[in-house]
Amino acid sequence: KGYDVLLKAAANLPNDVGIYIIGGKATPEYMQLVKEYTLSNIHFVDFLSPEELKRYFIAADLFVLPTREDIWGLVINEAMACALPIVTTNRCVAGIELIEDGVNGYIVPTANHDMLHSAIDKILSDEILRNNMAAENLRRIRKYTYEVSAMDVISAIENVYASACKKN
């Protein structure tokens, strides 16, 4: 998923910035990087229920998905719905579709820990930017609800049906 890149980026972040990697156990590779970079602010958290995950989103200042490839990382939608600025890579389709670089988050090249660090640092060091990105994400994600999606499906079915009726 690219968490090794996040760990390398974290080496230059202040120690009071907590990084929570949620969704499984730390691999030996990740633990080696934590040791190599003497990272005391990294926390590995096992899989969580949606309710538990939401508590982490609410407590966070931003969301980072340093993926090497993700067809649609639904977690981007979830983080946006919790008013979090997003940092992800140019290999995350959800990020490419939903994030406007510099407006509601940042898109960085895959595996570039320097640019990942820079994007994280910009958001964390600028409260106005962070708040503006958060508000923009809430505005943008409104059109990605279950209700809107259901209405789009109904509309598509109606259009197909209307088209078929015209042919007959």
Side-chain angles (χ1 to χ4, degrees):
K1 282 289 188 180
Y3 296 119
D4 57 318
V5 180
L6 177 59
L7 294 173
K8 291 174 187 173
N12 296 317
L13 291 173
N15 280 337
D16 65 347
V17 174
I19 298 173
Y20 292 80
I21 299 174
I22 300 172
K25 305 279 186 223
T27 66
E29 175 193 11
Y30 296 162
M31 293 311 295
Q32 178 58 38
L33 287 169
V34 166
K35 183 178 176 183
E36 180 181 334
Y37 290 104
T38 59
L39 299 171
S40 60
N41 55 343
I42 305 298
H43 309 276
F44 294 94
V45 180
D46 211 348
F47 290 96
L48 299 174
S49 71
E51 297 81 27
E52 292 169 319
L53 183 59
K54 187 174 180 180
R55 284 190 287 238
Y56 278 86
F57 281 145
I58 290 169
D61 291 318
L62 72 123
F63 178 78
V64 179
L65 182 63
T67 186
R68 287 186 167 85
E69 186 168 17
D70 214 322
I71 301 306
W72 191 278
L74 187 59
V75 70
I76 297 288
N77 300 64
E78 295 166 344
M80 288 174 69
C82 289
L84 291 174
I86 308 294
V87 179
T88 191
T89 69
N90 58 355
R91 298 296 304 237
C92 176
V93 177
I96 293 167
E97 291 290 323
L98 298 172
I99 305 304
E100 185 178 346
D101 200 48
V103 175
N104 61 327
Y106 291 105
I107 304 290
V108 299
T110 303
N112 188 321
H113 67 274
D114 289 328
M115 290 189 73
L116 183 63
H117 169 266
S118 178
I120 293 168
D121 190 53
K122 281 180 196 173
I123 293 170
L124 290 178
S125 63
D126 187 337
E127 185 176 357
I128 294 170
L129 174 68
R130 190 168 59 249
N131 290 338
N132 288 342
M133 286 181 167
E136 181 62 18
N137 276 333
L138 284 176
R139 187 189 72 73
R140 288 180 185 225
I141 204 62
R142 283 191 182 112
K143 57 186 169 183
Y144 289 89
T145 65
Y146 292 122
E147 295 80 9
V148 170
S149 296
M151 292 307 296
D152 288 345
V153 169
I154 290 168
S155 179
I157 292 169
E158 287 172 344
N159 288 340
V160 168
Y161 179 74
S163 178
C165 288
K166 285 181 184 178
K167 291 180 183 177
N168 294 331

